[in-house]
Every structure is written in structure tokens, then in C-alpha cells.
Amino acid sequence: MGKASRDSSKAIARLRGVGLRPTRQRVELASLLFKGPDRHVTAENLHEEVAGLGLKISLATVYNTLHQFTHAGLLRQVIVDAARGYFDTNTGDHQHFFLEAEGTLIDIPGEDIRVAGVPAPPAGMTVDRVDVVVRVKRA
Amino acid sequence: MGKASRDSSKAIARLRGVGLRPTRQRVELASLLFKGPDRHVTAENLHEEVAGLGLKISLATVYNTLHQFTHAGLLRQVIVDAARGYFDTNTGDHQHFFLEAEGTLIDIPGEDIRVAGVPAPPAGMTVDRVDVVVRVKRA
DNA sequence: ATTCTTCTTTAGAATTATTCTAATCTGTTG
DNA sequence: CAACAGATTAGAATAATTCTAAAGAAGAAT
Ligand SMILES: [Mn+2]
Ligand SMILES: [Mn+2]
Ligand SMILES: [Zn+2]
Ligand SMILES: [Zn+2]
């Protein structure tokens, strides 16, 4: 049993675990996304990576899959740029540095950062989550 | 001297103050934006408001003007939604509640909220600003 | 295995927000 | 007022994303 099939089994198990059919496309994407360390991807940039590896997955499927993974709790979306959407394999409590020039995200552990003094939300509303984006630029 | 001309004079003065020619379009937009309390607008939604008042300003000019006002420091952009860009007449230190369902922003005074424990930015980078978005939804 | 049913993928068109182009117009200055 | 730099605009273009509807693949049933 080689490395590729071990990746596949893990990906397949993870997909089954969240009730998604392990199609070739979903398995390949899940392997790429969850094999290594946490990462922040864009649909377009993941699609290019996939193409570069010689895999054939349509851009529509990359979008569909990223959204399905997000709904399944395997990914979360990060909003830092009005032009592009980012997907994050780290679904735990954490925040981000955003390098505007590069378009790069860097995690800040959730325990490091504290947000205090958030007023009560407007009547009838409840806090869904608190996002902190530390925008950084070249010194 | 009526209300309209008083609004105009203030808008014209403000535009002159930041080195922008007080054209009819810029004066009308500045009057709308800065006459009353602080507000959060979208290019499209400001354009509709303008049209509703019977004023004729092209959408391209609304976009151009919002960006010029932003560069001049009269507005700032707020990034909360991957699909639309918001412009904020409140350029001071503050944060936001974002009602995802409504697409509405509500200011949180900068003194209220405190963010602590932000790690040192990556080498060679400097913190440009720290944005906090409190996403709320119907309870 | 073969068939059946239900999902899934996909190419390409469509949509949405925004920007660009290049022609026309207007504010300001002399 | 004339002249010029700067501004506005309609419409085309771009970019990210979503939609459509037709063809393909996965799982269940036979
Ligand atoms: Mn866009
Ligand atoms: Mn989206
Ligand atoms: Zn992250
Ligand atoms: Zn604000």
C-alpha cells in the first residue's frame, strides 16, 4: 500500500464521515487540502494547483466542492479581500494576519488573541462569530 | 440662503480642502454622504439613492468618487462581504457589527473594543490596522 | 454483473460587482 | 471668454463566482 492510496483512504474516510460521496474529484481535493499542514486557498489558486499536478477537475467542481466542504465543517471561509474568497483548512478558533500585497493569510492562534469589550449585539441578534484581521504591509 | 446651498457650501469647502474639484457630481455625493449621521454605503446602493432623488450621476462616477473620497481620507472601506464593497463615512477608530442577513453594518466605538495579544507581525512587516467584525444573526 | 436511481461533474453561458476606454463635457485660470 | 487640464459617462471589458442542463459515475437493488 503506497503513499497515494494511504492519502486516499484517509480522504475517503473523512468524506464518508461527513456524508459526502467520495468521488474522484472530492477525494483528490480532500487529499490535497488535508494531507499537509493547514492552508488557505482560493478557488482559482486551488484549481491551478490541481491542473499543475495533471489532475482534471473543472473550476465549477472546485467551487462546488469548497462550498460543500465548508457546509460539512471541513473548511471555513475567511473574508479579508473584497475581490476574492479564501477557504481555510483550519476550522478551529483562530484569527489572521493578512498581507495585502501578497494576498497571503497567516494564522494567529485563538488563544493568543483576546477581544474584549464587544457591546451587546442589537436586539434580537446573537453573535455568530468575531473575526479579527490584522492587516500588515511591508515596513 | 436655503438649506441646499448651505449643504453645498459645506461640501464644496470640504472638497476644496482635500484638493478635489467641486464638480456637480462630487458636491451632490459629498452632501448626501456627509450631511447627516455617519453611514455605510455600497456603490450600487448610493447610486440608487441618487437616482431616487432625481439626480443624474453615472454608476462609474459613483465608483470613481467613492474611491477618490477614500484616497482623500474622507471615507474608508470596510471589508465584511466577499461580494460587495462598503464605504464608511466614519474614518475614525472603530469596529463593526455585521448583520449578514441584512447586509447592514453598525459601528462599535473604538474605545469600547480592545484587541490584545496580537503577536509580532512577520519579519519585515508592520501592522497597518486591526479590523474586528462581529458577525451577528437573528437569535 | 446488470440495471436503476440518485448524485455529481462539467462546459459554457449567465450574473454581479467593479473597472476600463475613449469620447464628450466642465471647472478653473489667464 | 478661450483654452486646457481634469472629470464624467455610456458602454464594453474583466474577474470572481454561480447557474444550466446534459452527460457521467456511485451506490443500491436485482
Ligand atoms: Mn468582483
Ligand atoms: Mn461565495
Ligand atoms: Zn486560518
Ligand atoms: Zn463604520
Side-chain angles (χ1 to χ4, degrees):
Chain A
M1 170 174 52
K3 180 157 68 68
S5 77
R6 201 161 51 256
D7 289 347
S8 293
S9 335
K10 281 196 193 151
I12 289 171
R14 191 177 317 221
L15 290 170
R16 287 234 158 82
V18 297
L20 288 173
R21 274 196 199 173
T23 62
R24 190 204 96 226
Q25 293 79 341
R26 297 210 271 228
V27 172
E28 289 176 353
L29 290 174
S31 297
L32 275 178
L33 289 171
F34 306 119
K35 173 165 33 191
D38 278 321
R39 44 188 313 204
H40 303 96
V41 301
T42 263
E44 293 272 1
N45 100 31
L46 181 59
H47 183 246
E48 281 164 24
E49 177 178 346
V50 155
L53 292 171
L55 307 173
K56 302 287 192 325
I57 305 181
S58 76
L59 181 57
T61 296
V62 172
Y63 273 103
N64 288 341
T65 304
L66 287 173
H67 283 127
Q68 290 155 356
F69 285 9
T70 300
H71 286 134
L74 265 31
L75 293 176
R76 59 175 272 207
Q77 270 188 280
V78 182
I79 293 164
V80 283
D81 187 325
R84 298 172 186 302
Y86 288 82
F87 291 85
D88 192 343
T89 60
N90 181 347
T91 57
D93 169 40
H94 73 287
Q95 304 298 346
H96 297 94
F97 282 116
F98 181 56
L99 289 65
E100 312 225 52
E102 299 255 355
T104 306
L105 284 165
I106 297 173
D107 283 349
I108 300 175
E111 317 87 56
D112 285 11
I113 233 170
R114 272 149 288 139
V115 178
V118 175
M125 296 282 141
T126 180
V127 173
D128 185 40
R129 92 186 196 206
V130 177
D131 289 334
V132 177
V133 177
V134 182
R135 289 166 199 282
V136 301
K137 51 181 199 195
R138 203 142 256 117
Chain B
M1 171 174 53
K3 180 156 67 71
S5 78
R6 199 160 55 254
D7 289 346
S8 293
S9 334
K10 281 197 191 148
I12 290 171
R14 194 180 312 224
L15 291 170
R16 286 233 158 83
V18 297
L20 288 172
R21 274 197 200 174
T23 63
R24 189 204 96 225
Q25 293 81 340
R26 298 211 271 228
V27 171
E28 289 175 352
L29 289 174
S31 297
L32 275 179
L33 289 170
F34 306 119
K35 174 165 26 191
D38 278 321
R39 48 190 309 205
H40 303 98
V41 300
T42 262
E44 293 274 1
N45 100 27
L46 181 59
H47 183 245
E48 281 162 26
E49 177 178 345
V50 154
L53 291 172
L55 307 173
K56 303 284 190 324
I57 305 181
S58 75
L59 180 58
T61 296
V62 172
Y63 273 104
N64 289 341
T65 303
L66 288 173
H67 284 123
Q68 290 155 355
F69 285 9
T70 300
H71 287 135
L74 264 30
L75 293 176
R76 59 175 273 203
Q77 269 187 281
V78 182
I79 294 166
V80 282
D81 185 326
R84 297 170 188 298
Y86 288 81
F87 291 85
D88 192 342
T89 60
N90 181 347
T91 57
D93 170 39
H94 73 288
Q95 305 297 347
H96 297 96
F97 281 117
F98 181 55
L99 290 65
E100 311 225 54
E102 299 255 356
T104 306
L105 284 165
I106 297 173
D107 282 349
I108 300 175
E111 316 86 55
D112 286 11
I113 234 172
R114 271 148 290 138
V115 178
V118 176
M125 295 283 141
T126 180
V127 174
D128 185 39
R129 91 186 197 205
V130 177
D131 289 335
V132 177
V133 177
V134 182
R135 287 166 201 282
V136 300
K137 51 181 199 194
R138 202 143 257 116

